[in-house]
Amino acid sequence: MKDNFPIEIIKRNNPSFPEKLARIPSCPPQIFFKGKINSSKNSVAIVGTRRATEHGLKAAHKIAKDLTYHNITIISGLAIGIDTAAHKGAMDGGGITWAVLACGLDNVYPSINSSLAKDIISNNGCLVSEYPPKTPSYPNQFLARNRIIAGLSKAVIVIEAPKESGALATAKFAIEQGKDVFVVSGPFGAPTFEGSWGLIRNGATPVFNIKELLEHLGITQTSAQKTININTLKSNEQLIVNTLKNSSKALMVDKIVAITKLMPQDVNIALSGLMFNDYIQEINGAYQISSEIYFV
C-alpha cells in the first residue's frame, strides 16, 4: 500500500502503549502502527468468518456502526468478510476502527483491502502489527495476531463462526485474558454459525440488540441526536425522508407511495435501506424519522 503515512514503533514501556494490550500475558515488547494510536477506554473487537453470509455481513456492519455512536472503537483484523463489514460499519457511523495485521505494515494483506486500510487511517484509525516491515503473512502469524485483537479490546463479539474459524481463537484468547465474549446467533442449521453456537454452549453471552449489548458492557447509552446530511442518501431515500419530515404523523407505505409517486417496490427498497441504517423506525406498520436522527 503506497501512502503518506509513516510506520511508527512504540515499545511496551512507553506510557502511550495501549493499556489493555500491555496487561495481557503474551504482550509483544513493541508494536508497529500507522495512524493514530490513541488508546480507547471503550474498544470492542468484532470478528467472524471470511466466508460470511449476508446475514452475518449486515449484522457486523450494523453492530459496528451502532457501537461507534456510543464512542466505542472497533477492533478487527482487516480480513474479507466479517472484518471488512465491521471496519466499514464503524467508519459509516463516523467512528474509529483499528485493524490488526499478521504481517508488516508496508504490505497490507489481503491486498484487496489496501484501499480499506488507507481509509481506516484517513478516518483517525490505525493499523497495528507486532511484525516489522517486510514481514510476510505466514499462516501461524494469524493465530498470534488474534491475541492482539483480543488484547486491544474490552470484549469480543463473534458475529459468524463455523467450526474451524480464527474467530474462535480470538474468543479463546479473550477468555484467557479475562474478557467477555458475546455471540450473535444465526439462522437455524447454518453451518457458518456452528462455532458460534458452540461458544454459547460453553458460556459465551448471546446478544440480540445493541441496548442489551451496551448493558452487558456497562456502557451508558447516549441520547444525543446524530446529524445526517440528507445529500448522502440515494435519491428515493431523500424523497421519502423529506416526505416523513413534512408529515405530522407516521405514514403507511401506501401513503408514502401516493405522496412520492414512486413505484411500491421502489418505496419498499428505500424503506429497507433507511431502516437498516436506523434512520427511520416502523411502528404498527407506519414509518417515521428515528428520534435519534436529525437530517440536514
Side-chain angles (χ1 to χ4, degrees), residues 10 58 75 163 223 226 275:
I10 185 170
K58 285 185 175 180
I75 314 291
K163 281 185 177 180
S223 58
K226 187 169 184 66
M275 285 280 288

Side-chain angles (χ1 to χ4, degrees), residues 179-201:
K179 297 173 180 178
D180 291 327
V181 174
F182 301 97
V183 179
V184 176
S185 187
F188 179 77
T192 53
F193 285 87
E194 287 186 22
S196 303
W197 297 325
L199 287 173
I200 294 173
R201 285 194 296 269

Side-chain angles (χ1 to χ4, degrees), residues 16-65:
S16 297
F17 192 91
E19 182 182 353
K20 285 188 285 294
L21 181 61
R23 292 199 297 261
I24 72 171
S26 55
C27 177
Q30 61 193 21
I31 56 173
F32 298 85
F33 69 96
K34 277 187 174 186
K36 294 186 177 180
I37 197 72
N38 298 333
S39 188
S40 172
K41 178 182 178 182
N42 290 325
S43 52
V44 172
I46 296 180
V47 295
T49 181
R50 291 171 172 81
R51 297 183 177 88
T53 61
E54 184 178 1
H55 176 92
L57 293 173
K58 285 185 175 180
H61 185 280
K62 178 172 173 53
I63 290 172
K65 185 175 182 179

